[in-house]
Amino acid sequence: MMEGAEQFCPLFTVKSRISTVKGCTKMEKLIFDNKVRNRIFMGFDWSFALTYSEDFPGEDVTWRSVQIPHDWSVDYPVCEDAPSCGSGGYARTGIGWYRKQFEFEKTDKTGRTDRISLQFEGVYMNCTVWVNHECAGAHIYGYTPFEIDVTNRLEPGTNEILVRVNNSHQPGSRWYTGSGITRDVYVLRTDRNHIEAETTQIKTGISNDYQQAKLEIRSVVHIDTNTKLGSSRADAITDAGEKTVYSLVNTVLDAENKEIASVIESIDESTFVLADLKLLNSLEISMPRIWSIENPYIYTLRQDLVCGDAVVDSVTTSFGVRRTEFDCNKGFLLNGKKTVLKGVCIHHDGGCVGAAVPPGIWERRLGKLKKMGANALRLSHNPSDPVILKLADEMGFVVVAEAFDEWEIMKYKKFGSNTYESRGYSEWFTGVWRDDLTSFIVRDRNHHSVIMWSIGNEIIEQVTEDGAGVAARLAGLVHSLDETRPVTAACDQEKAEPYSATEAFLNQLDVVGVNYVDRWRDRTVTCFDEEKREHPQWKLFGSEDTAVGGRRNDGYMTVEKNAWFETTKLSRLLKVERLWKYIMSHSFVMGSFMWTGIDYLGECFWPEKSASAGVMDTCGFEKDGYFFYKSIWTKLEKEPVLHVSMNCEKGSDSSTGGSHPVIVFTNCFTVELFVGGVSYGTKAYEYPPQGMTKGWAHFDRPICPITTDDLHLTWDVPFGCGEVTAIGRDISGKEIVRETIAPAGEATEIKLSAGKGRVLADGRSVIQIEISLCDKEGRLVTGADKDIRVTVSNGELLGMDNGDPDCHLMYREGHRPTYGGLAYAVARAPKYAGTIKVAASADGLPDATFEAECYNCGES
């Protein structure tokens, strides 16, 4: 049982015989090879039953086969009177039971003594685990990992794991959480004498000339005090004095797996009286490759625990060499260079797959955000799936990692027709926060993408008298676990009325994060001026700000439905532009994180099931706002950006005359618009506008023919104007990019596209299909949606989506109407090589197919 779980783990024993579970077709054999360390994925061949009782349901209920990660909330229809309410996306919750049976046989013949544990990366929430009928552990928080030692619980032959997940305390969150074993499960086998891999900490320092990097490596080695280290392997070697020859070897490998530095520490056996040896080693790397947003270079530390000349344990940890600085005047600096945080907040769900998100979905989403020009992620408002941080390391994002949305004081879950009493993490916070915060920091502190730890989002304690004390305790624990990164929090009550965040609370933060800095009174224009004047030493950033969101199909003058404030997409655009012009002209502001990068489930009002705050929808399709950010975040020399938006208002009738706006997002020097072949003039914007340099009337570059103070360009054109072409030119007047928009005809085909034509045959990897209705010219047909039916051969359909918040079809129904001409499907590959085939059909259109090769691990 993990530390601190005793108070939550029931004392009773589950009375059930081990028999073949209904709905489970096969029993996995757990076989360890003779590697020194085995970590085996345990996600296949589970059975699941949904109940509303904390008592074990036995064989009297229907158990169905599922694969972990699994989120049962997306397996059922949304319902307006669901206890999860609009906050939770009107999703089914309740109490779920997971059951897995497997065969276990000790096959190691070397005489080693094993330690075997179950590792859960996330279970939402309040779970209890039984192994072979006995309670083995429990865990409350749905976003932090936990581990259970099952060394003495496994038996030769058939074994059973039983997990109860209680997500019945509703509404329990301000957004969709999902329900179940929503992240990976592994079984880990090590020698009883082993490296505690999760506790390894790598701290990097760089010389001022960036020619030398110094690594400080903190490690914990566990020594079983009941056995000598030498007795853990039959071939262990001792020295002439019969003492165990023991050492920890730290080796740094570059991206090509070449050894470039090493340090060895030998320890006398007399130190083995300690169960956990805390070791500190250091080594240097000459001419290091620096990790940056543009070039995210990754090293690997391999640690070998050696007994004599035999390796008894080996672990690897990825890391990057980089320097971060936070300055009250210069903002954020990465590797000595001023870096504006062009950030997005993202929730943990993956749209149609709920909270059980395959890594490929995050890879596609983050890839699109990177192309937009984003360089920073705020993982709101809880510890993320570890795959997100791995991708951030590899793709070049900096990250604000966040722990909690609620401390001791419960928040009201006020979205939707909520007639239920609010529930939440605050009910357990006092008893578990320390363990949860510790596991979060220790797990993620070697991710070089992480630059700040956020201890909370919009915490109510920010306005209370004793809130500063709670903040101090959390910040103190974070600093004790990682002194290399600052602590922040996302505060929405700074200068708010009638209650404002206390100065004592804000002073507990190394970096002050402000949510919606432009919300109150004249702060709509002055933003951070007040903080800079009153607290010049504060380090400041916008931890959450309005995005150019809205539904993908909405026009610019459409009033957003079911929002806190009635506003249009154009109003949001202008508001965002004001904020970014402020950031561009105030170097002390580190940057801003938009709410949100991607639409997410929950935090909505019926009939919506999801929030439309993002610049991409739940399918990952780009909205107009995506191209606004790309235009101001991308330098022209890197890529010319030109996007024409002609989203007219629904119901507009060209026969009545009048005009509508054509909005262009661009980073070009000038843009000329043609309507029906006739020029409507050349326009341009520039921010910040250049001033004179060196002397009177001297400018470093040609003067831009500015026509607006906005960060976008607009032309009014007649309704029904036909073809529109925008031409972007550089500073010399040369055409560098053009885009043409023409009215689409009748849909004649279904187009299927996917980013990958090959996928690993591991039973886990996914193919993501973008589905488009197109006319005979290949143009997207947005005004005549059709129901699309999808089938998958040699694979599994995980879900379909269309980005429409009002669509209530279940994600796995196998059909869905397009929304604005688009739909999306996710198919999971099998565990064997072959070809996965996705077929799409619609009434009146020819069928479309997409095929991808499924290859075995190790194949090129």
Side-chain angles (χ1 to χ4, degrees), residues 17 42 110-111 131 194 269 285 352 409 547 574-575 602-603 690 692 749 763 789 816:
R17 59 189 179 88
M42 288 285 282
T110 63
V131 176
H194 58 274
E269 192 179 22
I285 303 174
C352 64
I409 303 175
L574 295 174
K575 178 183 176 70
E603 203 165 21
Q690 69 167 327
M692 291 186 293
E749 65 173 327
R789 300 176 293 274
R816 212 168 192 83

Side-chain angles (χ1 to χ4, degrees), residues 487-699:
V487 170
T488 188
C491 304
D492 66 331
Q493 294 298 301
E494 167 65 348
K495 306 298 182 183
E497 300 174 11
Y499 307 106
S500 181
T502 68
E503 190 169 314
F505 182 95
L506 298 173
N507 281 333
Q508 303 307 315
L509 308 176
D510 303 311
V511 177
V512 177
V514 181
N515 286 9
Y516 306 101
V517 66
D518 55 353
R519 178 176 282 174
W520 295 96
R521 296 188 183 268
D522 59 0
R523 291 170 66 87
T524 55
V525 175
T526 62
C527 296
F528 288 100
D529 285 0
E530 206 169 352
E531 284 84 353
K532 187 61 177 174
R533 183 171 60 252
E534 296 176 357
H535 303 280
Q537 78 283 4
W538 278 4
K539 302 161 186 176
L540 299 159
F541 77 107
S543 42
E544 188 172 311
D545 290 300
T546 300
V548 187
R551 297 188 181 209
R552 175 159 45 84
N553 284 355
D554 281 353
Y556 279 92
M557 297 311 296
T558 301
V559 177
E560 184 178 1
K561 297 197 311 180
N562 295 332
W564 289 112
F565 316 104
E566 287 194 356
T567 186
T568 64
K569 184 190 293 188
L570 182 58
S571 294
R572 285 195 304 273
L573 173 61
L574 295 174
K575 178 183 176 70
V576 170
E577 290 184 0
R578 279 198 307 270
L579 175 65
W580 271 98
K581 285 192 285 187
Y582 182 93
I583 293 170
M584 291 174 183
S585 56
H586 293 78
S587 61
F588 69 88
V589 181
M590 295 178 187
S592 169
F593 290 79
M594 73 173 82
W595 188 262
T596 56
I598 308 165
D599 288 353
Y600 55 96
L601 303 179
E603 203 165 21
C604 55
F605 298 86
W606 191 265
E608 295 175 333
K609 66 183 183 304
S610 57
S612 301
V615 293
M616 298 194 306
D617 67 14
T618 51
C619 303
F621 292 132
E622 301 89 338
K623 307 178 190 178
D624 279 346
Y626 175 99
F627 298 99
F628 162 72
Y629 289 101
K630 185 173 184 178
S631 71
I632 67 168
W633 287 353
T634 306
K635 291 185 177 181
L636 180 60
E637 54 266 29
K638 179 180 179 182
E639 177 191 356
V641 177
L642 183 68
H643 175 76
V644 180
S645 174
M646 293 182 63
N647 271 347
C648 301
E649 306 312 306
K650 294 176 182 177
S652 298
D653 184 359
S654 60
S655 65
T656 62
S659 63
H660 70 90
V662 172
I663 292 179
V664 173
F665 300 123
T666 187
N667 61 359
C668 296
F669 190 66
T670 64
V671 175
E672 186 174 7
L673 191 77
F674 292 85
V675 179
V678 177
S679 175
Y680 269 54
T682 297
K683 296 190 177 185
Y685 77 88
E686 181 183 50
Y687 199 90
Q690 69 167 327
M692 291 186 293
T693 61
K694 300 179 181 177
W696 175 256
H698 180 274
F699 294 89

Side-chain angles (χ1 to χ4, degrees), residues 79-86 90-93 168-172 418 420:
C79 180
E80 185 176 5
D81 60 359
S84 60
C85 304
Y90 303 99
R92 180 83 60 92
T93 49
S168 64
H169 305 294
Q170 297 295 325
N418 187 352
Y420 298 85

Side-chain angles (χ1 to χ4, degrees), residues 376-412:
L377 307 173
R378 176 173 166 240
L379 304 180
S380 36
H381 304 292
N382 39 259
S384 71
D385 188 323
V387 72
I388 298 179
L389 287 174
K390 181 176 183 293
L391 287 169
D393 291 343
E394 296 170 348
M395 298 173 74
F397 287 98
V398 294
V399 172
V400 177
E402 198 153 70
F404 306 117
D405 186 60
E406 204 168 88
W407 290 353
E408 295 176 341
I409 303 175
M410 186 176 296
K411 292 180 178 178
Y412 177 48

Side-chain angles (χ1 to χ4, degrees), residues 10-298:
L11 299 178
F12 65 85
T13 299
V14 175
K15 302 295 184 183
S16 70
R17 59 189 179 88
I18 296 181
S19 59
T20 301
V21 182
K22 297 175 184 178
C24 186
T25 58
K26 62 175 69 174
M27 190 177 298
E28 182 178 359
K29 284 190 176 182
L30 184 61
I31 299 175
F32 299 121
D33 59 28
N34 285 325
K35 293 179 181 179
V36 295
R37 172 180 286 253
N38 296 122
R39 191 170 190 247
I40 301 173
F41 176 67
M42 288 285 282
F44 300 116
D45 305 322
W46 288 73
S47 297
F48 170 77
L50 180 62
T51 72
Y52 295 91
S53 170
E54 294 190 353
D55 296 329
F56 177 63
E59 308 302 334
D60 298 329
V61 299
T62 300
W63 293 85
R64 58 186 176 90
S65 180
V66 298
Q67 181 172 319
I68 305 302
H70 175 246
D71 176 4
W72 82 67
S73 289
V74 292
D75 292 344
Y76 300 91
V78 294
C79 180
E80 185 176 5
D81 60 359
S84 60
C85 304
S87 298
Y90 303 99
R92 180 83 60 92
T93 49
I95 299 174
W97 292 82
Y98 291 87
R99 194 176 183 185
K100 180 178 176 63
Q101 296 175 354
F102 59 95
E103 295 288 336
F104 171 70
E105 180 181 357
K106 187 178 180 66
T107 59
D108 191 289
K109 306 300 182 183
T110 63
R112 63 180 285 161
T113 54
D114 290 339
R115 177 186 183 273
I116 302 174
S117 61
L118 287 173
Q119 296 180 323
F120 292 84
E121 291 190 343
V123 181
Y124 202 92
M125 63 170 293
N126 196 358
C127 74
T128 308
V129 180
W130 289 265
V131 176
N132 293 331
H133 316 322
E134 294 184 353
C135 185
H139 192 73
I140 296 293
Y141 199 27
Y143 301 111
T144 47
F146 61 97
E147 184 171 342
I148 300 174
D149 188 338
V150 296
T151 306
N152 299 320
R153 298 183 185 276
L154 297 186
E155 303 168 354
T158 302
N159 290 259
E160 182 180 71
I161 303 170
L162 186 69
V163 182
R164 183 184 66 199
V165 183
N166 187 344
N167 195 22
S168 64
H169 305 294
Q170 297 295 325
S173 173
R174 297 191 303 130
W175 60 87
Y176 177 91
T177 61
S179 306
I181 306 178
T182 56
R183 296 178 183 172
D184 286 350
V185 180
Y186 295 90
V187 61
L188 175 68
R189 185 202 68 163
T190 65
D191 193 274
R192 285 186 180 272
N193 304 295
H194 58 274
I195 303 165
E196 296 284 0
E198 290 290 340
T199 64
T200 294
Q201 183 180 14
I202 305 169
K203 296 195 293 183
T204 60
I206 312 174
S207 62
N208 290 335
D209 60 3
Y210 290 86
Q211 302 300 300
Q212 204 76 10
K214 182 175 182 180
L215 271 59
E216 183 180 289
I217 305 165
R218 297 178 183 271
S219 313
V220 175
V221 175
H222 180 80
I223 303 300
D224 187 349
T225 55
N226 294 320
T227 62
K228 292 193 174 208
L229 185 64
S231 67
S232 66
R233 288 185 67 91
D235 57 353
I237 298 174
T238 59
D239 64 13
E242 296 302 319
K243 290 183 179 181
T244 304
V245 180
Y246 159 78
S247 60
L248 179 67
V249 182
N250 296 282
T251 305
V252 175
L253 311 174
D254 65 13
E256 288 72 42
N257 212 35
K258 178 183 176 183
E259 296 183 6
I260 60 173
S262 183
V263 63
I264 301 174
E265 177 165 340
S266 298
I267 300 179
D268 188 273
E269 192 179 22
S270 61
T271 62
F272 294 168
V273 294
L274 299 174
D276 292 304
L277 305 177
K278 296 182 179 180
L279 308 178
L280 175 62
N281 301 109
S282 61
L283 53 80
E284 293 187 352
I285 303 174
S286 297
M287 303 298 292
R289 296 281 297 273
I290 305 300
W291 184 93
S292 67
I293 290 167
E294 299 77 18
N295 297 293
Y297 192 87
I298 297 175

Side-chain angles (χ1 to χ4, degrees), residues 414-433:
K414 49 190 141 188
F415 277 86
S417 52
N418 187 352
T419 58
Y420 298 85
E421 179 184 357
S422 292
R423 307 295 298 269
Y425 180 69
S426 58
E427 298 177 66
W428 296 278
F429 178 85
T430 300
V432 300
W433 73 266

